Amino acid sequence: MNIQMIEEKHQYSVWERVDTKRAKGMLSKMKDRLIRENKLSPDYELSFIAYALKSENILVLAADKLNVPDSS
């Protein structure tokens, strides 16, 4: 699996090159970044999945919308 395959599979994604010494807490920061960069509403229910590309020291966080809020 590579970043391109992940991006094709999911609606939204962000990735970060990670040093194992600073990996703790990275997913929370990436989640905030994914929501901010994609201008997602907090009303959306999102399903998140994390991928670790260990050979490249890359962590990828992907998300898909589970529902879209009713605009009425």
Side-chain angles (χ1 to χ4, degrees):
M1 182 152 294
N2 60 39
I3 292 174
Q4 182 179 353
M5 292 170 65
I6 295 167
E7 289 175 340
E8 290 172 359
K9 184 176 179 177
H10 299 281
Q11 291 176 306
Y12 310 101
S13 64
V14 292
W15 65 272
E16 187 84 29
R17 193 165 302 276
V18 179
D19 178 348
T20 55
K21 294 175 187 164
R22 65 178 198 99
K24 188 175 181 178
M26 183 63 69
L27 283 176
S28 178
K29 292 175 188 174
M30 291 177 72
K31 177 182 173 186
D32 293 342
R33 181 176 146 212
L34 185 144
I35 291 169
R36 183 181 66 251
E37 286 184 3
N38 292 284
K39 298 179 175 103
L40 298 173
S41 167
D43 296 331
Y44 290 138
E45 289 185 29
L46 298 170
S47 171
F48 292 93
I49 187 165
Y51 297 89
L53 306 178
K54 192 171 182 177
S55 64
E56 301 171 42
N57 287 341
I58 292 178
L59 186 61
V60 181
L61 182 65
D64 296 296
K65 288 181 194 174
L66 297 177
N67 72 341
V68 177
D70 187 5
S71 61
S72 56

